[in-house]
């Protein structure tokens, strides 16, 4: 039986707050929350299930904040959620049939590409640009595909949505962040539903971390709206580089040995 004392409750709340703030702006909050849950004593499956619970709190709060400030269209919100959530559900069902190990080896390079894109892109601003893909194709292909990826694997989903909305649909940085949060909310919730009847969701850990996410996501979304590109670009780059490095170490164990040899 997993027991949570006051110190652990406060720890979960603090981690959730920091992760929620970062995730609302650039994604990647799972870099903090998932390891924290595992280090607290949860088995990997319980940690994954509980992480989906708390991250739904954060992405939901960020989405609601952006919606209230007029950065989301009501009809498109529903469509985004249906397509992303549907893709995530299919991904979760397919997780045992697809070679996720091979995906894990390619992922660090893909996320590194996200960082390079935001470093070199001179067009990232709060203003809308030229769309490279028609909306119907983007909605029918990109949104469910990234949602599918979140269901089957997950790391970097927010970053991939950001690139998709800025590069393919020409969205301004704040609008792209807002729409990324809605899509990520749907994929998180769809995955959460697959764990709902598993008995692996640890409420004593997920609720305090989720409440921290609410506060952090609210503050992060408001900071994103007020500061805009000056805050979004560097955080997306930092999170992408950090996530890429961590995934590379996990996918290529030899890198750990090289690191230890130089310590």
């Amino acid at each position: 039986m997993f027991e949570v004392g006051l110190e652990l409750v406060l720890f979960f709340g603090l981690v959730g707050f920091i992760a929620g703030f970062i995730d609302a702006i650039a994604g990647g909050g799972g870099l903090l929350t998932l390891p924290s849950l595992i280090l607290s004593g949860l088995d990997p499956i319980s940690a994954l299930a509980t992480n989906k619970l708390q991250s739904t709190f954060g992405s939901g709060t960020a989405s609601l904040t952006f919606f209230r400030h007029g950065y989301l269209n009501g009809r498109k919100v529903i469509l985004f959620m249906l397509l992303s959530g549907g893709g995530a559900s299919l991904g979760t069902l397919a997780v045992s049939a697809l070679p996720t190990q091979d995906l894990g080896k390619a992922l660090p390079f893909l996320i590194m590409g996200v960082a390079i894109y935001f470093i070199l892109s001179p067009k990232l601003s709060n203003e809308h640009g030229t769309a490279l893909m028609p909306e119907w194709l983007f909605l029918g292909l990109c949104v469910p595909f990234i949602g599918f990826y979140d269901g089957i694997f997950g790391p970097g989903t927010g970053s991939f949505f950001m690139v998709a909305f800025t590069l393919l649909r020409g969205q301004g940085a704040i609008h792209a962040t807002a729409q990324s949060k809605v899509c990520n909310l749907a994929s998180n919730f769809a995955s959460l539903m697959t764990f709902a009847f598993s008995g692996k969701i640890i409420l004593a850990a997920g609720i305090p971390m989720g409440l921290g996410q609410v506060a952090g996501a609210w503050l992060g979304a408001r900071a994103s709206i007020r500061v805009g590109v000056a805050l979004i670009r560097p955080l997306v780059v930092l999170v992408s580089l950090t996530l890429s490095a961590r995934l590379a170490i996990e996918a290529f164990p030899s890198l750990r040995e090289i690191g230890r040899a130089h310590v």
Side-chain angles (χ1 to χ4, degrees), residues 20-21 24-25 61-62 64-66 68-69 71 174 177 214-228 231:
F21 181 84
I25 301 169
T61 300
L64 182 59
T65 302
F66 283 118
R68 286 178 171 174
H69 282 78
Y71 287 98
I174 298 178
T177 302
V214 169
W218 177 82
L219 187 62
R222 291 178 65 86
S224 178
I225 291 167
R226 290 186 177 184
V227 182
L231 180 62

Side-chain angles (χ1 to χ4, degrees), residues 45 49 189-203:
I45 300 299
F189 185 74
S191 295
L192 175 63
M193 289 299 96
T194 66
F195 288 114
F197 304 103
S198 67
K200 290 292 186 178
I201 299 175
I202 308 301
L203 295 178

Side-chain angles (χ1 to χ4, degrees), residues 82-107:
L82 289 173
L83 293 171
S84 180
S89 297
L90 291 175
T92 303
L93 293 173
V95 70
S96 61
L98 295 178
T100 55
Q101 186 175 3
D102 294 337
L103 179 60
K105 292 181 179 180
L107 197 55

Side-chain angles (χ1 to χ4, degrees), residues 47-222:
L48 285 170
T50 305
N51 189 57
K52 284 299 180 183
L53 171 64
Q54 65 85 32
S55 62
T56 300
F57 276 77
S59 54
T61 300
S63 298
L64 182 59
T65 302
F66 283 118
F67 181 77
R68 286 178 171 174
H69 282 78
Y71 287 98
L72 291 168
N73 178 287
R75 292 182 179 179
K76 286 188 178 179
V77 164
I78 296 173
L79 190 55
F80 284 151
M81 295 185 74
L82 289 173
L83 293 171
S84 180
S89 297
L90 291 175
T92 303
L93 293 173
V95 70
S96 61
L98 295 178
T100 55
Q101 186 175 3
D102 294 337
L103 179 60
K105 292 181 179 180
L107 197 55
F109 302 101
L110 295 176
I111 296 180
M112 179 67 73
V114 172
I116 293 172
Y117 166 73
F118 279 104
I119 290 172
L120 300 180
S121 174
K123 297 181 180 180
L124 186 65
S125 70
N126 291 331
E127 303 299 324
H128 295 311
T130 303
L132 299 181
M133 181 179 287
E135 187 175 50
W136 66 268
L137 183 59
F138 181 81
L139 290 172
L141 181 64
C142 291
V143 173
F145 180 78
I146 299 175
F148 179 87
Y149 163 77
D150 194 26
I152 198 171
F153 206 71
T157 298
S159 299
F160 291 141
F161 272 126
M162 274 291 292
V163 169
F165 280 111
T166 56
L167 177 62
L168 300 179
R169 288 299 301 156
Q171 294 288 327
I174 298 178
H175 283 85
T177 302
Q179 292 174 111
S180 296
K181 287 299 98 187
V182 168
C183 293
N184 215 170
L185 167 62
S187 60
N188 280 335
F189 185 74
S191 295
L192 175 63
M193 289 299 96
T194 66
F195 288 114
F197 304 103
S198 67
K200 290 292 186 178
I201 299 175
I202 308 301
L203 295 178
I207 295 299
M209 190 173 278
L211 293 176
Q213 277 267 3
V214 169
W218 177 82
L219 187 62
R222 291 178 65 86

